[in-house]
């Protein structure tokens, strides 16, 4: 490795945007649009980039497409900010392959989701993550999202992985149980990287020592999400609190249907992408689309309703 884990951990902080995967009208991946979305993020203060996480519809992509999306993102970023793609799958061998590919293309870290659908026990979870971590030299961020995996990585399992695997450096907690995330910090140590994947907990997690957030909302409003982290880091608590509440209505509307359908709808209205998802995902109802449009107007992302 060219950097130690500690050096990389210092850089993997702030707003890490999980960039969506843009599709064309024929459902093929629009790599040019992907690059434009990444530039939009970097021009608005985003601190790091992820792709092929939940917002990137990884279960709708082939393995080859996931590698190409990662590779295109890495080339677009070109070292300007850290890059931590999602490499997890419900299939162990696919997770191993994708995580190794992330290292091969030069990713700074890999985000590995708790396997969905299978519902392994905690011992099996430990074996899965340890085997993946042992197969690479790059840092691993565990992605715990029980609302979509139907499984929670328990604090003791995560702590044992942190103890046994030097490159398991943090966790994205898309977990509404704030007691759980407090216990993660207590058990894993204050230098363990804790990221919020729950939009309304992005600010509260900073107050207990969190490293930042990996928030789908940052696809739409990257500047304010990044500024909230910057304000907190600079000691401007009031500004960070103000931004937390300013973002709340947008956060709410973007999660009234399954992510990333509302986010893609919003980006389509903003002229950033074609609002296309691959089945079995689809766009929200017309009534929710209208609500998203009205919210974007309120936030100054659209000049007027259409």
């Amino acid at each position: 490795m060219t950097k130690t884990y500690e050096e990389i951990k210092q850089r993997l902080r702030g707003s890490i945007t999980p960039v969506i995967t843009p599709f064309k009208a024929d459902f093929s991946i629009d790599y040019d649009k992907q690059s434009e979305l990444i530039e939009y993020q970097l021009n608005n203060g985003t601190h790091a980039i992820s792709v092929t996480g939940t917002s990137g519809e990884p279960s709708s992509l082939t393995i080859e497409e996931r590698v190409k999306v990662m590779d295109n993102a890495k080339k677009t970023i070109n070292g300007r900010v850290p890059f931590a793609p999602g490499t997890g799958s419900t299939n162990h061998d696919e997770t191993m392959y994708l995580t190794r590919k992330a290292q091969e293309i030069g990713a700074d870290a890999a985000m590995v989701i708790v396997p969905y659908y299978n519902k392994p026990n905690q011992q099996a979870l430990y074996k899965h993550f340890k085997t993946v971590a042992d197969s690479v030299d790059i840092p691993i961020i565990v992605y715990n999202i029980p609302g979509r995996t139907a499984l929670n990585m328990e604090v003791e399992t995560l702590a044992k992985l942190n103890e046994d695997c030097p490159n398991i450096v943090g966790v994205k907690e898309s977990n509404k149980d704030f007691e759980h995330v407090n216990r993660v910090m207590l058990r894993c140590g204050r230098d363990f990287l804790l990221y919020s994947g729950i939009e309304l907990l992005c600010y509260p997690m900073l107050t207990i020592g969190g490293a930042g957030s990996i928030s789908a909302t940052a696809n739409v409003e990257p500047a304010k999400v990044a500024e909230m982290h910057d304000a907190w880091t600079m000691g401007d608590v009031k500004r960070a609190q103000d931004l937390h509440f300013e973002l709340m209505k947008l956060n709410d509307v973007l999660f009234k249907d399954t992510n990333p359908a509302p986010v893609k709808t919003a980006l389509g209205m903003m002229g950033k992408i074609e609002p296309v998802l691959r089945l079995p995902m689809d766009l929200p109802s017309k009534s929710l689309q209208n609500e998203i449009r009205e919210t974007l107007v309120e936030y100054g992302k659209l000049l007027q309703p259409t």
Side-chain angles (χ1 to χ4, degrees), residues 74-87:
K74 178 64 172 66
K75 289 175 179 174
T76 302
I77 296 165
N78 194 28
R80 288 176 287 175
V81 297
F83 176 49
T87 60

Side-chain angles (χ1 to χ4, degrees), residues 20-186:
I20 60 96
T21 303
F23 299 129
K24 300 178 183 178
D26 64 0
F27 302 103
S28 63
I29 297 173
D30 192 332
Y31 293 100
D32 290 337
K33 285 292 183 186
Q34 184 199 20
S35 295
E36 290 176 12
L37 290 173
I38 290 171
E39 293 295 342
Y40 172 60
Q41 291 295 319
L42 300 186
N43 290 337
N44 280 276
T46 292
H47 303 107
I49 296 290
S50 183
V51 295
T52 59
T54 302
S55 299
E57 295 172 79
S59 60
S60 297
L61 307 178
T62 67
I63 298 300
E64 293 75 17
E65 285 175 331
R66 288 184 66 170
V67 172
K68 287 182 69 176
V69 167
M70 289 193 297
D71 188 54
N72 186 63
K74 178 64 172 66
K75 289 175 179 174
T76 302
I77 296 165
N78 194 28
R80 288 176 287 175
V81 297
F83 176 49
T87 60
S89 166
T90 192
N91 181 287
H92 178 74
D93 287 344
E94 288 179 359
T95 302
M96 294 278 285
Y97 174 80
L98 288 166
T99 306
R100 287 169 173 161
K101 279 292 183 183
Q103 175 171 285
E104 184 181 310
I105 67 174
D108 296 283
M111 185 171 61
V112 181
I113 194 169
V114 168
Y116 39 93
Y117 181 75
N118 292 327
K119 296 183 72 173
N121 61 35
Q122 295 296 308
Q123 180 181 354
L125 266 187
Y126 172 85
K127 289 181 178 179
H128 170 70
F129 275 94
K130 187 174 190 310
T131 304
V132 173
D134 287 348
S135 73
V136 294
D137 292 325
I138 59 174
I140 300 294
I141 299 167
V142 174
Y143 181 11
N144 190 30
I145 179 168
R148 292 184 76 144
T149 63
L151 177 68
N152 184 48
M153 177 172 280
E154 301 297 340
V155 173
E156 289 305 314
T157 307
L158 186 59
K160 183 170 174 53
L161 284 166
N162 180 42
E163 292 166 2
D164 296 347
C165 305
N167 60 330
I168 292 185
V169 300
V171 60
K172 175 185 177 181
E173 283 285 359
S174 293
N175 194 326
K176 293 183 178 181
D177 184 349
F178 199 56
E179 290 187 11
H180 169 90
V181 297
N182 275 269
R183 296 186 189 283
V184 166
M185 287 295 283
L186 178 65

